[in-house]
């Protein structure tokens, strides 16, 4: 299992290309790319309505603001635009904090049994924390350059916590399923534990106490959220039909590769 951490946190060199073209996407990998390209909302917990979603754009405006020190009219224009966008920035910042708290709660309260799933949660939590710190720094940089004074910043309503939970769940499940569809889980007992972990996260983040076995909760989410369908291939161990995109039997956990 040691290699898994490297696979998740690293660049996934052996999993590029066609393997990702399926139903599931590796959000953690995409988040890394977004952070790398300077986007402000790497986890897409919230997409900005103001085109205010890129560090470079915002820092570009700040530089211009400083440059226009001799042109008060132009400077005021840029300053006004930056100040108008502050409520949106504050909203994103607050939602990152909520999202981080949700991830920490999962990590602390759910007794996760696999390194694969704990790594995914830890990585997502770190990304959220990093995004939060980046946005705080941006906020501070704006404050330092523009004299906001005692002007009140409007407070926008936050996205409900339950809907942030659903978004995080989808990201987590996508990551788990990308790894499953790539066949990285090598044995039956590991597969059972991954499905148990995933089901516990589903119950917790959807706040549903499904009275079903874990594998049923997992299959239900798979079908409901991803419209996953069973194909014609049967499990070589128990004969159950397999989902087309996943080389594991959700019934007996056998790897069918
Ligand atoms: Zn089976």
């Amino acid at each position: 299992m040691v290699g898994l951490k490297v696979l998740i946190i690293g660049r996934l060199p052996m999993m590029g290309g066609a393997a990702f073209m399926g139903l599931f996407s590796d959000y953690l990998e995409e988040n890394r790319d977004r952070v790398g390209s300077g986007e402000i909302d790497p986890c897409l917990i919230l997409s900005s309505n103001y085109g205010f979603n890129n560090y470079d754009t915002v820092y570009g405006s700040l530089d211009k603001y400083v440059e226009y020190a001799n042109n008060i009219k132009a400077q005021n224009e840029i300053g006004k635009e930056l100040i108008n966008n502050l409520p949106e920035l504050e909203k994103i910042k607050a939602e990152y904090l909520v999202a981080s708290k949700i991830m920490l709660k999962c990590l602390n309260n759910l007794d996760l049994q696999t390194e694969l799933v704990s790594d995914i949660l830890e990585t997502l939590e770190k990304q959220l924390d990093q995004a939060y710190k980046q946005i705080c720094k941006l906020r501070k940089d704006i404050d330092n350059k523009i004299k906001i004074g005692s002007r009140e910043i409007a407070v926008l309503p936050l996205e409900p916590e339950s809907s942030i939970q659903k978004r995080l769940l989808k990201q987590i499940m996508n990551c788990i399923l990308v790894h499953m569809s790539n066949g990285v889980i090598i044995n039956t007992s590991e597969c059972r534990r991954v499905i148990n972990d995933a089901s516990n996260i589903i119950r917790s983040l959807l706040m549903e106490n499904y009275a079903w076995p874990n594998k049923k909760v997992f299959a239900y989410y798979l079908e409901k959220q991803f419209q996953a369908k069973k194909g014609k291939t049967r499990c070589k161990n128990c004969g159950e039909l397999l989902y087309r995109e996943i080389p594991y039997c959700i019934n007996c956990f056998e790897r069918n590769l």
Side-chain angles (χ1 to χ4, degrees):
M1 286 305 290
V2 178
L4 276 176
K5 192 161 240 157
V6 179
L7 283 181
I8 295 164
I9 296 177
R11 294 290 305 174
L12 302 173
M14 54 178 278
M15 294 182 189
F20 281 112
M21 299 302 284
L23 271 187
F24 319 116
S25 20
D26 188 334
Y27 273 91
L28 298 182
E29 185 69 8
E30 287 170 18
N31 287 346
R32 248 188 309 272
D33 291 344
R34 280 188 204 111
V35 174
S37 66
E39 282 181 42
I40 206 164
D41 191 13
C43 298
L44 287 185
I45 291 163
L46 181 93
S47 48
S48 170
N49 296 324
Y50 297 92
F52 197 53
N53 57 355
N54 189 301
Y55 277 131
D56 293 341
T57 321
V58 184
Y59 279 114
S61 298
L62 269 182
D63 287 346
K64 258 193 210 147
Y65 182 84
V66 176
E67 253 171 58
Y68 286 147
N70 293 326
N71 184 346
I72 298 298
K73 197 171 167 246
Q75 198 186 45
N76 279 346
E77 280 295 305
I78 299 168
K80 217 167 98 188
E81 199 190 306
L82 283 163
I83 290 171
N84 283 344
N85 284 324
L86 287 182
E88 182 76 4
L89 264 189
E90 286 295 333
K91 180 177 188 285
I92 300 173
K93 201 173 98 180
E95 284 173 356
Y96 275 134
L97 210 53
V98 172
S100 263
K101 207 182 73 194
I102 294 169
M103 292 321 300
L104 283 175
K105 218 162 90 186
C106 276
L107 281 162
N108 292 335
N109 296 350
L110 301 175
D111 184 22
L112 299 175
Q113 300 295 310
T114 62
E115 203 176 338
L116 174 69
V117 178
S118 344
D119 276 357
I120 288 173
L121 261 61
E122 279 166 19
T123 305
L124 187 54
E125 198 279 318
K126 276 193 199 112
Q127 289 181 343
L128 288 162
D129 184 56
Q130 187 192 8
Y132 176 71
K133 285 179 181 144
Q134 282 173 323
I135 207 163
C136 287
K137 183 180 179 301
L138 178 67
R139 223 12 220 100
K140 220 168 123 197
D141 289 342
I142 295 174
D143 279 353
N144 286 341
K145 286 196 175 139
I146 299 177
K147 288 152 206 77
I148 296 169
S150 56
R151 205 185 302 229
E152 264 192 39
I153 309 294
V155 179
L156 300 178
L158 298 190
E159 185 177 342
E161 191 162 330
S162 60
S163 107
I164 296 180
Q165 288 189 177
K166 276 185 195 147
R167 286 209 209 189
L168 291 171
L169 176 61
K170 200 176 166 199
Q171 295 201 2
I172 294 165
M173 288 300 289
N174 259 289
C175 290
I176 295 174
L177 291 163
V178 162
H179 287 86
M180 287 184 86
S181 65
N182 281 301
V184 299
I185 301 164
I186 37 175
N187 61 50
T188 310
S189 101
E190 178 71 9
C191 181
R192 179 192 289 114
R193 286 184 292 133
V194 166
I195 288 175
N196 285 346
D197 281 351
S199 309
N200 286 335
I201 296 170
I202 294 170
R203 283 194 174 93
S204 168
L205 292 185
L206 292 184
M207 295 178 290
E208 292 278 2
N209 281 320
Y210 299 117
W212 316 326
N214 284 339
K215 57 188 181 185
K216 187 143 183 243
V217 172
F218 184 83
Y220 171 76
Y221 188 84
L222 203 58
E223 288 177 17
K224 197 174 160 220
Q225 186 65 54
F226 297 97
Q227 285 79 47
K229 300 238 173 350
K230 288 184 175 172
K232 286 179 183 146
T233 317
R234 290 190 179 275
C235 169
K236 62 188 178 193
N237 181 48
C238 73
E240 206 40 53
L241 285 173
L242 301 175
Y243 285 97
R244 282 196 289 243
E245 299 79 11
I246 300 168
Y248 295 90
C249 176
I250 307 300
N251 184 47
C252 75
F253 312 108
E254 180 77 19
R255 186 174 188 246
N256 284 261
L257 269 178

